[in-house]
Amino acid sequence: MDFKYRLQNHFLKFKTPFAIAHGTRDGTDIVLLYFTAENITAIGEASLPPYLIETKESVHEFINSFFNDFKFTADLNHCLDYLQQYKSGNYAAKACIDIAFHNWFASYKHISVWQLLGLKNTPLPPCTYTIAMGAPDLIRQKVKEAAGFRMIKVKLGGEHDKQIIDTIIDSTDTPLCVDVNQGWKDPDFALDMINWLAERKIVFVEQPLPKSDKNGQQWLFNKSPLPIIADEAVQTIDDIDAVKDFYHGINVKLMKCGGISPGLAMIQKAKSYHKMVLIGSMSETSCGIMAAAQLSSLANWVDLDGPLLASNNPFENVNYENGVLQI
Ligand code: MG
């Protein structure tokens, strides 16, 4: 079947510079793929935060090389298998193509991607609203912007963690979860913080310690009163066995693992170990967010608020009704 494609770069800007334990930045490089066949154009996205290895250039190179060798047939599984075995690494580039393929086949069949995947039409968990690190005035402003959301995710791992949590708790009753982005370097300190957070009824803690500190994380796992979710410590399905005995759950992101199809496989494997699942994202446009959202019915929590934090989302904004991302 004939097809054509084009690639477009986009710099997705944050409304407010976004501060986490890794540092502060203004926006994120994005590559968009427009894939056309049978008069249907489907879009895919690669999001490239600076701490990942992939760049705009590497994504273009991978996608051009892939389509140079690719024969398109109306068989989704064939397309996806070919993609996933095509070269190693390049997860964001693979996610870009994987998302475009899922969108194309869903359009071709006049159904949604979640239906294409055979998922059920069940109530979806609420989506978190993310608040980055900042001074109390900025935090209070962000809490106001989170009105209507039923869960807030707070970035910690800096010098003012308790002040940030106290500021939020003073302003809202909305349940909170926290993401430390590996920012607590000492397991004793991390346990003190988690005990303090547990007294404040925080829902879960994401990646408190550096992913390399396996002994520290094992010790923390055995003592923590709150669920601990692996994010940086788990990238693809191959990492799940290594973390299953010292995290309570995993954060699945399409850009880390290579797209919707590997993301679904990761969720199924995590659930087979009775692990909790958070569906997260990088800073992404509505395209990447809606792709991840198709898997929401399988998750305990959904962390897909990227378009709300961006000032130049090139697509129609996604819709959060009563704090639930509509798919
Ligand atoms: Mg995280």
Side-chain angles (χ1 to χ4, degrees), residues 167-187:
T167 304
I168 296 174
I169 289 175
D170 282 347
S171 326
T172 182
D173 296 329
T174 305
L176 306 181
C177 56
V178 308
D179 184 1
V180 189
N181 290 112
Q182 317 182 77
W184 297 336
K185 305 302 178 199
D186 171 53

Side-chain angles (χ1 to χ4, degrees), residues 262-321:
L264 176 59
M266 271 184 95
I267 293 172
Q268 287 165 338
K269 182 162 183 178
K271 291 188 134 194
S272 78
Y273 292 137
H274 306 288
K275 296 289 149 185
M276 295 180 239
V277 171
L278 171 66
I279 293 184
S281 69
M282 308 300 178
S283 168
E284 294 168 24
T285 75
S286 301
C287 174
I289 293 294
M290 286 309 291
Q294 305 302 313
L295 300 173
S296 342
S297 65
L298 301 173
N300 298 84
W301 306 288
V302 173
D303 176 24
L304 295 173
D305 60 342
L308 291 172
L309 310 179
S311 65
N312 62 342
N313 181 2
F315 305 114
E316 191 181 322
N317 252 325
V318 297
N319 179 21
Y320 304 86
E321 224 170 273

Side-chain angles (χ1 to χ4, degrees), residues 153 155 179-181 206-207 231-232 251 253 278 303:
K153 177 159 152 178
K155 294 290 193 177
D179 184 1
V180 189
N181 290 112
E206 191 177 320
Q207 201 67 56
D231 183 5
E232 285 87 343
N251 186 343
K253 295 177 178 169
L278 171 66
D303 176 24

